Amino acid sequence: QVQLAESGGGSVQPGDSLRLSCAPSERTSLWFHMGWFRQLTGKEREFIGVMNWRGDRKYYSDSVKGRFTISRDHGVKTTVYLQAASLKPEDTGVYYCAAAYSDISSDFRNERRYDYWGQGTQITVSS
């Protein structure tokens, strides 16, 4: 059973940045895609970005494109990061990482295609 440990959320002011981390528990965790989702207050969970294993293909939702960046390290556990910049109050919500252990290139926005989820981390943006 793979577990994804998230960290890095917090309370910030508009315009600030945060970096979220998502660390798989397995030593050699060969996921195909790592996605990021968020659930804003009073709304359903939504897709915001995804990256493939090699890190050479990334896609973002229009709501975060140009402000958020997904990256990964190349360590044993392959931690994935979501750098969230120029944060706005409307970015306030719970952020989740999710790992897919099969190729979901054609359907990565669909949260049902992901096999494991992080516990979620809160980002609060307010002045």
Side-chain angles (χ1 to χ4, degrees):
Q1 179 79 7
V2 175
Q3 293 183 339
L4 304 178
E6 291 188 54
S7 61
S11 295
V12 297
Q13 295 186 336
D16 286 352
S17 299
L18 280 174
R19 189 178 78 160
L20 308 184
S21 299
C22 178
S25 60
E26 294 297 306
R27 186 172 183 272
T28 54
S29 196
L30 299 181
W31 42 266
F32 274 75
H33 292 92
M34 188 71 79
W36 286 92
F37 292 76
R38 69 182 181 183
Q39 187 164 19
L40 306 181
T41 304
K43 296 188 177 181
E44 294 186 353
R45 190 160 56 189
E46 63 175 0
F47 166 85
I48 58 173
V50 66
M51 180 179 68
N52 66 345
W53 165 260
R54 293 194 301 178
D56 61 348
R57 293 191 177 185
K58 304 175 187 179
Y59 300 93
Y60 301 93
S61 67
D62 289 343
S63 60
V64 306
K65 192 177 299 182
R67 299 188 298 123
F68 290 15
T69 304
I70 300 173
S71 63
R72 54 163 284 183
D73 66 21
H74 293 275
V76 172
K77 292 188 176 181
T78 319
T79 298
V80 176
Y81 304 97
L82 178 69
Q83 180 73 38
S86 302
L87 284 163
K88 307 173 183 179
E90 51 264 44
D91 293 318
T92 295
V94 180
Y95 286 69
Y96 300 89
C97 62
Y101 281 73
S102 60
D103 187 349
I104 61 169
S105 298
S106 63
D107 199 20
F108 53 71
R109 292 177 177 82
N110 183 352
E111 64 177 60
R112 293 187 295 272
R113 298 300 307 275
Y114 292 83
D115 301 295
Y116 300 101
W117 289 79
Q119 79 278 14
T121 188
Q122 175 75 36
I123 292 180
T124 301
V125 186
S126 68
S127 54

